[in-house]
Amino acid sequence: MEILQLPLVCALIISSLTSATVVQDFNHVERCKDSLYMGTPPRGFVDTKLKKICQRYADKPRYVTLYDPSKRIPVYSAYTFKKTEGDRRVDYPWMYEPQLAELDGNGNMLPFPTGYLHMKFEDSQAVLDDYSDVVLYERGHLNPDQHQSSPHDRAATYTLTNVVPEIREFNIGPWREYEERIRVRLNNFCRGTAYIVTGVTTRGNTIRRNNQNRVAIPEDVWSAYCCTEYDRNAPHDVRVLFPSHAALAKNAKEGNSIHEMTVLELEMFLRNNIEVDTNLQIFYDNCVSPSPLPLYLQHTI
């Protein structure tokens, strides 16, 4: 059962532990870029209205999100995978990002308070009311809690700046199965750090509230991972899925099966379906591990 709101006194206690920051560049906050392969965000996202959020919790950056305030959903969240048993925890409070609304915000990612939420917050991001009366859609995490291990890393995923409206059958069916498949794959065969970027495409469909377009509904959900240190002795059908691989699916009740593909194939699809330039690249240098050998020896391996 999701806990959607906390009494104000609890919110104040938790707010002292939580923080997130809207930044000009992910490099501007210490260790924020640790969530990105080679410290480099996906290249080619050209919309200047998008907001970069360094998602901080308990004074530590946990992951990053590129957020679209006009659509009130994330474009993508990028995070490092943490080995986990995959159990799901849903007793964390939902949070929002005050800095999307106030330039003078204090940097805290805050639990939603009980009672009235100021209109300026609703202008820049989704709020709980946007999802409360929607039957078809659930809050679908881009950075899912079951890909995180510590209580703080998991709690930090419960911000509405990290979720999109997903068709219920898709969210609890094919997409949850895919998240579990990747969890097991990376648990078993990734020997170093795995970097994941998960995002969406949109086609103009929205959740409406009070006769207003409120939250964009994704057309597709996509994801890609990069792990350059992996088990070279894994079976061949596993080795071909490293160092990087990707997936794409329709956010739909039917015809929503997961299509795994190369990252290059995913990038080709995204160039035709979202606002990016031709230089789109999800992972720096296409997730090619820097070779420790001098150039004249690299051709020998």
Side-chain angles (χ1 to χ4, degrees):
M1 181 179 68
E2 295 174 343
I3 294 179
L4 300 180
Q5 294 180 325
L6 288 178
L8 186 57
V9 62
C10 294
L12 291 173
I13 293 172
I14 293 176
S15 71
S16 67
L17 297 174
T18 61
S19 62
T21 308
V22 177
V23 295
Q24 293 297 316
D25 189 276
F26 291 132
N27 290 333
H28 287 184
V29 177
E30 184 180 5
R31 307 202 65 169
C32 186
K33 64 180 182 180
D34 290 357
S35 299
L36 302 162
Y37 175 64
M38 301 297 285
T40 304
R43 185 182 71 195
F45 289 84
V46 294
D47 188 345
T48 57
K49 298 186 298 297
L50 302 178
K51 302 294 185 181
K52 299 179 177 71
I53 303 176
C54 184
Q55 304 277 19
R56 292 172 58 90
Y57 190 94
D59 298 322
K60 179 181 176 183
R62 306 289 167 172
Y63 61 103
V64 302
T65 298
L66 186 66
Y67 192 79
D68 189 336
S70 64
K71 297 179 180 178
R72 300 183 182 89
I73 58 169
V75 177
Y76 66 73
S77 283
Y79 60 96
T80 55
F81 172 84
K82 317 296 192 308
K83 291 194 175 184
T84 170
E85 296 302 314
D87 55 312
R88 295 175 62 85
R89 293 285 301 279
V90 292
D91 55 348
Y92 299 112
W94 284 101
M95 291 175 277
Y96 71 104
E97 176 48 67
Q99 283 203 52
L100 286 172
E102 295 181 313
L103 292 178
D104 60 346
N106 63 7
N108 289 329
M109 175 203 299
L110 299 174
F112 280 98
T114 56
Y116 181 73
L117 187 64
H118 199 284
M119 179 63 74
K120 61 185 174 182
F121 294 143
E122 297 193 12
D123 288 344
S124 62
Q125 60 198 289
V127 295
L128 292 173
D129 282 351
D130 291 320
Y131 288 91
S132 62
D133 295 323
V134 180
V135 177
L136 295 177
Y137 302 97
E138 292 190 344
R139 287 165 284 202
H141 286 67
L142 298 189
N143 174 8
D145 65 345
Q146 63 266 42
H147 283 188
Q148 304 299 327
S149 56
S150 76
H152 280 174
D153 281 343
R154 288 185 163 193
T157 68
Y158 284 84
T159 164
L160 290 193
T161 57
N162 178 50
V163 303
V164 297
E166 288 182 358
I167 292 281
R168 184 176 190 275
E169 289 82 357
F170 171 71
N171 183 38
I172 67 174
W175 195 250
R176 183 175 298 178
E177 293 167 6
Y178 170 74
E179 290 174 335
E180 174 65 9
R181 186 192 319 161
I182 296 307
R183 186 192 69 79
V184 172
R185 183 184 301 169
L186 296 178
N187 263 359
N188 292 342
F189 301 108
C190 181
R191 297 293 178 258
T193 301
Y195 299 86
I196 299 181
V197 182
T198 299
V200 298
T201 73
T202 58
R203 293 286 188 283
N205 295 320
T206 61
I207 289 176
R208 291 176 60 83
R209 180 166 62 87
N210 297 333
N211 295 319
Q212 293 182 328
N213 291 330
R214 285 293 304 165
V215 182
I217 300 169
E219 178 79 6
D220 309 281
V221 183
W222 56 267
S223 186
Y225 65 80
C226 167
C227 170
T228 58
E229 298 176 53
Y230 59 92
D231 185 358
R232 261 66 174 183
N233 296 317
H236 179 264
D237 62 340
V238 173
R239 288 203 312 274
V240 297
L241 304 176
F242 287 91
S244 65
H245 214 57
L248 177 69
K250 288 289 182 187
N251 179 31
K253 190 172 183 177
E254 298 176 341
N256 55 14
S257 57
I258 308 296
H259 300 281
E260 289 207 50
M261 60 188 65
T262 67
V263 175
L264 293 178
E265 289 171 329
L266 174 61
E267 289 171 345
M268 188 178 306
F269 173 85
L270 293 179
R271 286 189 190 97
N272 294 322
N273 288 277
I274 60 176
E275 189 176 347
V276 292
D277 62 25
T278 56
N279 294 318
L280 173 68
Q281 187 176 71
I282 295 175
F283 297 115
Y284 174 81
D285 203 19
N286 294 318
C287 187
V288 175
S289 180
S291 175
L293 297 175
L295 285 173
Y296 67 89
L297 288 178
Q298 288 182 19
H299 72 279
T300 64
I301 58 173

